[in-house]
Amino acid sequence: MELELIRNFSIIAHIDHGKSTLADRLLEYTGSVPPREMRDQVLDSMELERERGITIKAHLVRMNYKAKDGKDYVLNLIDTPGHVDFTYEVSRALAACEGAFLLVDASQGIEAQTISNMYLALDNNLTIIPVVNKIDIQFAMVEQVREELANLLGVDKSEVLLTSGKAGLGIEEFLSAAVERIPPPKGYYDKPLAALVIDAYYDNYRGVVAYVRVFDGYIRKGIRIRFMATGFENIVEEVGFVRLGLHPLDELGPGEVGYIIAGMKSVRDARVGDTITFADNPVSVPLVGYREAKPMVYSGLYPASGDGVEELREALEKLKLNDAAISFEPESSIALGPGFRCGFLGLLHMEIVQERLSREYKIDLVATIPNVAYRVKTKNGELLVIDNPAKLPNPAEIDTIEEPIVTSEVVTPTKYIGNIMKLITDRRGELNSTEFMESGRAIIRFTIPLAEIIFDFYDKLKSLSQGYASLDYELSGYNEADLVKLDVLVNGEPVDALSVVVHRSKAYNVGIALCTKLKELIPRQLFEVVIQAAIGSRIIARTRIPPIKKNVTAKCYGGDITRKRKLLERQKEGKKRMKQVGNVEIPQEAFFALFKIER
Ligand code: GDP
Ligand code: MG
């Protein structure tokens, strides 16, 4: 295909600024979806995406568009997620594009992820086309936001497009801007193949399907290809383009985006970010891959019933194929048995992975409270990376502990600045600068320990600002801190899966709150249960749960039998999510108790 007629672009924006809805209009306008298959946010194909109304995965779609110059163009759109946890998905999508539309909601203005996405696009040398979206909203500040966006990018206001995905405004202007302002891809058909793996997923019938962007050379059915990093080699079975499904083509040439199927069995064969080349005539250096996804938070995942560990491993392996950012390693907990220590990009990512495991793979999980990874220097000079609080060495053996620090930005209407600054300093954050923007809002820049941001910081920020403030952060390094391990003992037995690492100044309060919360969450047993929080051998908090004697169904006697059955059913349901630790039954929520305490 002629390079001059191809445009590859992505739409980037803060979450909810209307990317997927705008994509719907582009698909309709270009006749890419049969009307009977059209539905809202049609590209969000995952069940979870539809339910939550968010985009989790990057989606590919190829459109045909006749421009004003009378030529027929192929436009490849890669829809991307907006949440901070999925920056990794965004950066992979951007590496396959020449341009990006930076969308801003006219009723919201620039948000934290607008800025971080812009930097990602600039890092990838993309042409950025600014767009003010949702201009149909009655009291939207269209002109103000247009000004703000023009200033952010240092361009003239007239270059900022105005659209509404909902009302279908500005769609023709959007598409012609793609053709006129984004450069066509460069590449050579007669050079050795160099194609980047953008994404991959496992299809039960077809095996692994990889999304690729070809830079040089071509991929055609029947040729032998090699994945450079994994070493996997095979004959190509099928290539094609993606448009709400797979559509076979004879070949994919330079500048093209599409899918390939070549007998890859797992993520070990088709790694996202890898370069595909000819097996017989390979390129000597791989394409510059993506930024490696670095896990930010860790949590232990255990099968709810003891024997499900192999199933969990298989599910994690399949999931990793589709979500390269997950990492997992086997670990064993004294309390929970065999399981995996998993790394995630953030809490939303963690939640999504857990939900996908339970929905798509029908796995009942027990998950431990998330934590960050610490760097520990021991007294005998060893350097350890600790991603599981239970593994922190004894205080007597520790020389120093370092924790991850992030640089962060909050964008907020100015009237909430005072409260937000207080929240930041309460959480051991340090303010760096505050910048005021046209629309009565400000950007607060600060550094803060990652551990302080991953818990309820975001929720607090939202409630302090009535939902208006937004947050973005990026790992910046490690700082030494006075941290201690808090252990929880149930009837004198330490429960390793409940250990947490906290700052010494907060240990006492967290200990008390944790014991109180566990008392609420752990059901009464036939015997007394004593819960203690300890630092080393020193007990700092204690609660007790008195034993039960009553038969719970007793109160139903004389009542109707279905009510009694329902009660028993409900008890059974509850039981499923319990984990037997020693002789005490602990419900799944207890492992998350720390989330629910006031800090
Ligand atoms: P995304 O997270 O950027 O993909 O945003 P979505 O396309 O999922 O849209 C987020 C919300 O904004 C949904 O409730 C949409 O119905 C709404 N929305 C999207 N575009 C427009 C628009 O142009 N005008 C109005 N009024 N609402 C819109
Ligand atoms: Mg979306």
Side-chain angles (χ1 to χ4, degrees):
M1 176 136 220
E2 217 180 304
L3 289 165
E4 193 46 50
L5 298 178
I6 304 175
R7 296 294 182 276
N8 298 316
F9 61 89
S10 163
I11 307 179
I12 51 180
H14 190 74
I15 193 158
D16 274 351
H17 280 203
K19 290 182 302 290
S20 301
T21 306
L22 191 67
D24 289 348
R25 295 297 87 73
L26 301 176
L27 294 181
E28 270 175 3
Y29 191 88
T30 55
S32 304
V33 202
R36 71 194 144 75
E37 279 176 35
M38 197 59 208
R39 48 181 187 169
D40 286 347
Q41 285 110 34
V42 68
L43 293 180
D44 289 347
S45 51
M46 249 165 74
E47 182 190 44
L48 208 58
E49 290 182 315
R50 301 201 63 80
E51 223 165 79
R52 294 194 173 207
I54 57 171
T55 310
I56 297 168
K57 297 292 301 171
H59 299 287
L60 287 190
V61 63
R62 174 191 275 220
M63 300 177 282
N64 298 315
Y65 169 64
K66 192 185 256 326
K68 283 192 223 108
D69 60 11
K71 293 184 190 154
D72 291 311
Y73 288 86
V74 163
L75 307 180
N76 290 308
L77 163 65
I78 303 177
D79 190 29
T80 61
H83 190 277
V84 52
D85 281 12
F86 301 114
T87 307
Y88 179 65
E89 292 280 336
V90 181
S91 80
R92 288 184 309 166
L94 295 187
C97 297
E98 279 74 37
F101 288 88
L102 181 63
L103 223 62
V104 176
D105 182 331
S107 65
Q108 305 288 323
I110 288 169
E111 300 275 10
Q113 267 93 59
T114 314
I115 301 170
S116 60
N117 279 322
M118 177 190 75
Y119 283 118
L120 271 181
L122 290 174
D123 279 351
N124 283 284
N125 293 318
L126 300 191
T127 301
I128 300 179
I129 303 178
V131 183
V132 175
N133 189 34
K134 305 198 190 180
I135 57 166
D136 60 299
I137 295 179
Q138 210 179 358
F139 299 105
M141 324 164 273
V142 177
E143 284 310 310
Q144 261 173 22
V145 174
R146 197 178 194 187
E147 181 96 49
E148 196 174 272
L149 192 50
N151 287 348
L152 179 71
L153 287 164
V155 299
D156 193 79
K157 217 173 131 176
S158 63
E159 289 187 27
V160 182
L161 303 179
L162 302 178
T163 60
S164 162
K166 192 156 245 168
L169 302 173
I171 305 304
E172 171 61 34
E173 290 77 1
F174 187 101
L175 291 166
S176 51
V179 167
E180 285 158 20
R181 286 157 72 173
I182 297 172
K186 293 195 187 80
Y188 299 94
Y189 189 84
D190 43 17
K191 277 194 178 177
L193 171 64
L196 194 61
V197 181
I198 306 169
D199 203 351
Y201 66 92
Y202 187 81
D203 180 289
N204 281 333
Y205 302 104
R206 319 278 333 248
V208 176
V209 179
Y211 289 166
V212 299
R213 154 74 199 258
V214 179
F215 284 86
D216 286 315
Y218 56 87
I219 307 183
R220 189 188 297 151
K221 185 175 168 173
I223 66 165
R224 193 170 179 83
I225 53 163
R226 177 190 305 155
F227 287 71
M228 292 181 81
T230 66
F232 177 82
E233 273 192 32
N234 211 349
I235 303 286
V236 177
E237 282 164 31
E238 186 176 313
V239 299
F241 70 90
V242 183
R243 182 189 290 155
L244 308 181
L246 306 179
H247 304 266
L249 288 172
D250 288 341
E251 68 174 22
L252 289 172
E256 291 199 84
V257 176
Y259 72 93
I260 72 160
I261 299 172
M264 298 87 79
K265 293 282 177 298
S266 76
V267 64
R268 279 186 290 271
D269 303 333
R271 192 182 300 156
V272 165
D274 200 353
T275 299
I276 303 176
T277 190
F278 294 138
D280 305 327
N281 179 19
V283 288
S284 45
V285 265
L287 298 160
V288 234
Y290 308 95
R291 275 209 301 194
E292 178 98 31
K294 276 201 222 83
M296 298 277 252
V297 300
Y298 296 82
S299 153
L301 296 187
Y302 295 85
S305 58
D307 51 0
V309 71
E310 267 316 304
E311 275 160 54
L312 179 55
R313 178 201 303 280
E314 261 170 47
L316 281 167
E317 272 170 7
K318 286 202 178 134
L319 205 55
K320 184 170 168 71
L321 183 63
N322 189 233
D323 181 350
I326 314 170
S327 68
F328 59 95
E329 264 173 42
E331 75 169 4
S332 185
S333 151
I334 301 162
L336 301 176
F340 297 91
R341 175 89 349 201
C342 301
F344 307 96
L345 300 175
L347 287 194
L348 179 64
H349 184 218
M350 179 180 88
E351 229 180 90
I352 301 275
V353 168
Q354 291 178 7
E355 273 210 58
R356 290 186 69 183
L357 284 170
S358 87
R359 277 177 198 221
E360 295 169 29
Y361 301 92
K362 310 275 175 280
I363 289 188
D364 261 345
L365 281 178
V366 173
T368 64
I369 187 84
N371 57 270
V372 302
Y374 299 94
R375 285 184 183 171
V376 175
K377 198 164 117 206
T378 63
K379 290 234 162 92
N380 52 29
E382 239 183 321
L383 288 174
L384 307 171
V385 176
I386 302 292
D387 60 12
N388 178 353
K391 303 235 166 81
L392 201 73
N394 275 328
E397 293 167 24
I398 295 176
D399 183 16
T400 57
I401 306 184
E402 289 181 341
E403 62 176 339
I405 303 291
V406 295
T407 51
S408 182
E409 279 160 0
V410 164
V411 176
T412 174
T414 46
K415 64 174 166 179
Y416 307 114
I417 286 183
N419 286 339
I420 292 175
M421 287 186 167
K422 182 170 181 312
L423 173 67
I424 293 168
T425 46
D426 282 351
R427 296 295 174 86
R428 303 192 284 131
E430 273 174 37
L431 297 162
N432 298 340
S433 72
T434 307
E435 184 187 318
F436 294 88
M437 294 189 288
E438 284 75 17
S439 52
R441 284 153 357 113
I443 308 173
I444 307 172
R445 298 198 171 83
F446 57 101
T447 51
I448 193 167
L450 175 61
E452 297 286 343
I453 238 175
I454 59 170
F455 286 100
D456 55 349
F457 188 91
Y458 188 66
D459 292 342
K460 279 269 152 55
L461 182 69
K462 283 286 176 193
S463 67
L464 283 178
S465 64
Q466 296 173 315
Y468 284 112
S470 60
L471 169 74
D472 192 66
Y473 56 84
E474 192 178 25
L475 195 64
S476 67
Y478 283 78
N479 275 356
E480 199 177 317
D482 190 8
L483 302 168
V484 291
K485 179 169 70 148
L486 199 63
D487 290 315
V488 174
L489 291 78
V490 175
N491 280 352
E493 288 288 323
V495 180
D496 58 353
L498 284 171
S499 294
V500 289
V501 172
V502 288
H503 196 259
R504 192 182 300 276
S505 65
K506 293 183 179 175
Y508 196 69
N509 287 340
V510 171
I512 292 172
L514 198 53
C515 286
T516 314
K517 199 74 211 176
L518 285 170
K519 178 178 172 172
E520 278 169 35
L521 293 174
I522 298 177
R524 292 169 70 176
Q525 321 266 324
L526 293 167
F527 44 86
E528 183 186 64
V529 176
V530 176
I531 300 164
Q532 295 163 306
I535 298 173
S537 56
R538 192 160 52 90
I539 305 293
I540 60 165
R542 181 183 193 277
T543 51
R544 61 176 283 274
I545 304 171
I548 26 165
K549 294 195 192 78
K550 268 201 311 244
N551 179 346
V552 278
T553 58
K555 57 177 178 255
C556 292
Y557 281 150
D560 92 68
I561 183 73
T562 55
R563 240 184 76 206
K564 185 167 161 186
R565 194 175 302 137
K566 260 194 204 137
L567 193 62
L568 286 170
E569 285 289 307
R570 208 173 315 137
Q571 274 195 329
K572 217 163 73 197
E573 269 291 298
K575 274 246 171 57
K576 271 211 302 228
R577 265 166 274 132
M578 297 271 189
K579 196 83 194 178
Q580 187 86 21
V581 173
N583 55 0
V584 181
E585 283 187 325
I586 300 185
Q588 150 75 48
E589 304 124 88
F591 296 98
F592 266 70
L594 197 68
F595 262 130
K596 307 205 172 89
I597 64 180
E598 205 39 55
R599 282 144 63 90

